[in-house]
Amino acid sequence: MRALPVRRIATSVLCSALLLGTAGPVYAASQDDTAREVAAAAAPQAPVPGADALLAQVKTLGDIGGVLKPVTDLLDTVLKADNGQLPAADATKLGDAVKDAIAKVTAVAPKGAELPATPQLPATPQLPLGGAPAAQAPMDIKGDALAALQKAVDTLLKAATGGDVAAVLPAATAVVTGLVNVVVATVLGGGLPVPNLPGLPALPKLPTDGLPLPKLPV
């Protein structure tokens, strides 16, 4: 009768040994994975080499999206409202969202840097009569487009809260046009890659292309 407990003890010991032998490598592998994760988290992060220019392009595209959403939300709300009229609180909320989006893009956009590939024309030399024209300021197409869009949005908000039903549709159309202008100005002047989809028409030339250079006096 004493042999039975001994067998049970031996069997238990053998099972425990087998379990430990199986779980040991799994536990060790888990510890190794944890150690690698800790080491990776502690290691300094290195950005992708040469990605700075592409990151700037990504931000430019993100800026377009940041303006598109609040403007389209405003248009959608006004055009679906009864007679295009909104409560003052709703109009203020929608208008502030547009204003904030435009302000964020305008704040980070350097003046005159939207057309980096366009050389500036040399200043016109002083005329013999003593009159000198003002120097030509660098163009800021995107900034102008954003300012025009904000003005169109203000006009739409005025129509949507002032009871002038007939003025809502023209004002909304002006906002859509202004939004398209912002998109096109950003695409053409934001240093983005040239589209390469087959069948797309060629991009138009920048507004300053082809302007005659001033002639120097003899």
Side-chain angles (χ1 to χ4, degrees):
M1 297 300 292
R2 294 180 179 178
L4 185 58
V6 173
R7 291 195 187 97
R8 289 180 178 175
I9 293 173
T11 302
S12 300
V13 172
L14 178 60
C15 291
S16 299
L18 291 174
L19 288 174
L20 289 174
T22 304
V26 176
Y27 176 77
S30 176
Q31 290 294 99
D32 291 342
D33 290 341
T34 302
R36 280 193 293 269
E37 291 175 359
V38 172
Q45 300 296 317
V48 177
D52 292 345
L54 191 57
L55 284 172
Q57 295 172 2
V58 171
K59 186 183 184 309
T60 297
L61 293 173
D63 289 342
I64 297 177
V67 175
L68 279 173
K69 185 63 168 63
V71 174
T72 53
D73 284 347
L74 170 63
L75 288 166
D76 187 70
T77 304
V78 171
L79 294 175
K80 291 180 179 179
D82 186 19
N83 287 325
Q85 298 300 297
L86 301 178
D90 294 347
T92 299
K93 182 179 179 180
L94 292 166
D96 286 346
V98 174
K99 186 179 297 183
D100 290 344
I102 292 178
K104 287 179 181 178
V105 178
T106 304
V108 298
K111 295 296 182 181
E114 300 301 329
L115 303 176
T118 305
Q120 295 184 19
L121 296 177
T124 304
Q126 186 171 354
L127 299 177
L129 297 178
Q136 183 180 8
M139 299 185 69
D140 183 19
I141 293 181
K142 183 177 176 182
D144 293 343
L146 288 168
L149 175 61
Q150 182 62 69
K151 184 176 180 180
V153 166
D154 293 340
T155 301
L156 176 60
L157 290 172
K158 182 178 179 180
T161 55
D164 190 357
V165 179
V168 171
L169 188 59
T173 302
V175 171
V176 172
T177 302
L179 192 56
V180 172
N181 287 339
V182 170
V183 173
V184 173
T186 303
V187 170
L188 293 182
L192 295 172
V194 177
N196 61 0
L197 182 65
L200 285 179
L203 290 176
K205 292 184 178 181
L206 296 174
T208 54
D209 288 352
L211 290 179
L213 292 177
K215 293 182 179 181
L216 296 176
V218 180

